[in-house]
Amino acid sequence: MRLDKFLKVSRLIKRRTVANEACDAGRVLVNDKVAKASVNVKTGDVIEIQFGTKSVKVEVVNVQETVRKEEAQEMYRYL
């Protein structure tokens, strides 16, 4: 699954366009490398997102195309 879509489906970032912009600005790292929005995300990858001064680091646990809001947090775990 594409990185921008994973960020939206998992609700780490609210909208896909915002996820795209974050990737273009170099604020998203996958396995400690700056990632473009088109990078393929798989189980076990570590994603780090920088929101201003705050940084969120998660590990991908599950990849699904569609998820209900209540189940979205089951797609990743915080590190």
Side-chain angles (χ1 to χ4, degrees):
M1 175 186 292
R2 285 176 56 107
L3 175 60
D4 58 346
K5 185 169 183 181
F6 177 82
L7 293 173
K8 182 212 175 274
V9 171
S10 66
R11 290 172 174 77
L12 285 167
I13 295 182
K14 235 176 192 170
R15 283 177 270 136
R16 192 164 174 178
T17 53
V18 176
N20 259 315
E21 291 166 4
C23 292
D24 291 343
R27 294 189 316 233
V28 181
L29 305 169
V30 176
N31 298 328
D32 296 325
K33 294 180 191 147
V34 176
K36 292 186 178 179
S38 60
V39 166
N40 220 6
V41 175
K42 58 193 177 305
T43 305
D45 284 348
V46 176
I47 300 173
E48 186 173 351
I49 310 164
Q50 295 154 350
F51 297 105
T53 59
K54 191 176 115 180
S55 181
V56 175
K57 197 169 189 177
V58 297
E59 180 183 355
V60 178
V61 175
N62 190 3
V63 178
Q64 295 177 354
E65 292 293 319
T66 56
V67 179
R68 275 191 259 134
K69 186 177 181 181
E70 302 82 37
E71 299 168 354
Q73 282 196 321
E74 295 172 12
M75 293 182 72
Y76 59 89
R77 69 178 176 94
Y78 287 104
L79 298 175

